[in-house]
Amino acid sequence: MAVSALSQIGDAKRIVVKIGSALLVEDGAPRDVWLQSIARDISERRADGQDVIVVCSGAIALGAARLNLAKGGRGSLADAQAAAAVGQIELANLWSAALSGRGLTAAQLLLTLDDLEDRRRYLNGSATLERLLDAGTVPVINENDSVATEEIRFGDNDRLAARVAQAVGADLVLLLSDVDGLYDRDPAAPDAKLIRQVDGITPEITAMASAASSSGLGSGGMASKLQAAEIAERAGITLAIINGKPDAPIAQAIEQNRGTVFRPQRRDGARKVWLGGRLNAAGTLHVDEGCVRAMANDGASLLAVGITSVDGSFQRGDLVSICGPDGVPLGQGLSEYDAVSCRRIAGLREDHQAKVLGHAPRAAVVHRDHMVLS
């Protein structure tokens, strides 16, 4: 049964719970009472026969306090990586102690962006998580900040949680926030309205989390949560935002039925779920209106004749974004050509492509089997 309200959390067979560092760590120290309450939440879910996976930040904050680093350990990449290396040990110990007190075993996984962008590593991570769940553990996952760089990182655990949910076939992602959910304007405004249900991420919904909305939630806050919702909904996964600040926040969300629920809009096949959730495109193919119609209406592959321009430097097999004439992203897929060849054949029909390339062209630049549309 699909979860369409927070009161139905108990219907989910497998849940991913994302916890930000601000909820777990205060002034460099763990919020021990709160951690014990979330461990109780998790144990109650497990007692009801549900699998639970935790995606938790906090390593940098904990490590920075231990090393006495300025700016919370974020003064430089080297500081952040050092803080993460120290703090991740403490974070793992905190979860191990809290869960063992409830008779549960914690398991730690540290992931980088590439672990979920590369198909083989994605499948390996999925298999590892499945085995850990079969063994009765509660996997606790964090981005591997001790080796991640700005170029190869998720940057926030909201999207990481959604990708993990895809990998393990979860039914529900719970993003614990510092507000009750998505509001139609600044939550501090007296007339702000909580949006309790979202059926698809539209431009109007996205605008509620933009910097232009004056909500202050546009950078790494609500905006990243909407991106996570888009990733989840492609795989048929419900995502909900709830207030994580109170003790036992999951139990409270169920009791009060308060938060924002993003209901899934589709259920792609496993490979397209992985492809649609990938975040690190190497380039962009801009296409004309005829190509847009052919892909959207007829399910056609992207042909060279429809390409108007090419951005970036990529190789055959790399992920590329696809944008229409207005610059709006249409989807993404795996390119059958490198960037240089794409530029050479852009706008050309098949017979002209052969003359330029010196050999018979491939069936498409991005085949429909290796492409997902937004």
Side-chain angles (χ1 to χ4, degrees):
M1 177 180 178
V3 175
S4 58
L6 292 169
S7 58
Q8 298 174 342
I9 286 177
D11 295 328
K13 296 183 182 300
R14 185 166 289 179
I15 304 172
V16 175
V17 180
K18 180 265 177 179
I19 299 167
S21 58
L23 294 175
L24 183 67
V25 183
E26 187 173 33
D27 297 326
R31 296 176 64 206
D32 290 321
V33 173
W34 183 88
L35 179 58
Q36 292 301 322
S37 78
I38 193 72
R40 183 170 70 251
D41 262 346
I42 292 169
S43 68
E44 289 172 355
R45 298 296 99 221
R46 287 294 308 277
D48 286 344
Q50 296 174 293
D51 290 334
V52 179
I53 298 167
V54 176
V55 175
C56 185
S57 310
I60 292 178
L62 291 168
R66 181 66 64 89
L67 297 176
N68 196 28
L69 295 175
K71 299 181 179 179
R74 298 185 182 276
S76 68
L77 177 61
D79 279 0
Q81 291 178 326
V86 172
Q88 190 59 47
I89 296 174
E90 185 171 353
L91 184 63
N93 285 336
L94 287 171
W95 277 108
S96 180
L99 291 173
S100 65
R102 297 282 168 180
L104 300 172
T105 300
Q108 176 184 260
L109 264 76
L110 298 179
L111 299 173
T112 64
L113 179 63
D114 284 347
D115 289 325
L116 296 179
E117 295 284 277
D118 179 86
R119 180 66 174 168
R120 185 163 50 185
R121 289 159 69 176
Y122 173 90
L123 293 174
N124 183 60
S126 175
T128 300
L129 284 167
E130 196 66 48
R131 184 64 187 93
L132 288 169
L133 291 170
D134 287 346
T137 74
V138 177
V140 179
I141 299 172
N142 193 11
E143 183 162 13
N144 194 349
D145 289 312
S146 61
V147 298
T149 66
E150 292 301 324
E151 293 78 19
I152 52 166
R153 64 175 306 169
F154 286 92
D156 64 79
N157 273 358
D158 296 320
R159 291 180 295 178
L160 174 58
R163 288 290 269 154
V164 167
Q166 287 181 333
V168 299
D171 306 292
L172 173 66
V173 178
L174 289 177
L175 302 181
L176 274 57
S177 181
D178 58 356
V179 292
D180 288 333
L182 175 67
Y183 284 81
D184 63 349
R185 65 201 68 196
D186 185 345
D191 57 346
K193 179 183 178 182
L194 176 65
I195 308 299
R196 294 184 176 271
Q197 182 175 300
V198 176
D199 292 306
I201 307 298
T202 64
E204 291 76 19
I205 292 295
T206 301
M208 295 177 189
S210 72
S213 71
S214 75
S215 68
L217 298 173
S219 178
M222 197 58 67
S224 71
K225 290 174 175 54
L226 295 189
Q227 291 170 346
E230 288 183 296
I231 293 171
E233 70 175 20
R234 180 182 298 279
I237 300 169
T238 300
L239 182 140
I241 303 170
I242 63 174
N243 195 325
K245 291 192 294 185
D247 288 349
I250 299 175
Q252 186 168 118
I254 294 172
E255 180 182 348
Q256 298 181 356
N257 195 26
R258 185 169 180 82
T260 301
V261 175
F262 297 81
R263 300 203 305 178
Q265 301 302 299
R266 58 204 280 185
R267 184 180 289 276
D268 289 346
R271 180 175 173 80
K272 289 207 171 185
V273 162
W274 164 76
L275 184 57
R278 289 187 62 181
L279 304 171
N280 198 19
T284 302
L285 303 178
H286 299 270
V287 301
D288 61 26
E289 193 59 45
C291 186
V292 173
R293 289 195 300 270
M295 291 189 299
N297 298 334
D298 304 326
S301 300
L302 194 165
L303 305 181
V305 68
I307 298 175
T308 57
S309 64
V310 178
D311 295 335
S313 177
F314 51 88
Q315 301 300 314
R316 183 188 180 198
D318 283 350
L319 182 74
V320 291
S321 296
I322 304 167
C323 290
D326 54 3
V328 175
L330 303 171
Q332 57 191 29
L334 305 180
S335 178
E336 293 288 342
Y337 291 93
D338 60 29
V340 172
S341 297
C342 280
R343 291 188 178 95
R344 293 178 66 196
I345 63 175
L348 299 182
R349 297 191 178 276
E350 188 173 349
D351 54 343
H352 291 147
Q353 293 174 43
K355 294 176 183 178
V356 169
L357 295 171
H359 57 75
R362 296 186 177 91
V365 175
V366 180
H367 195 276
R368 62 184 181 184
D369 290 344
H370 306 301
M371 174 172 59
V372 289
L373 298 180
S374 301

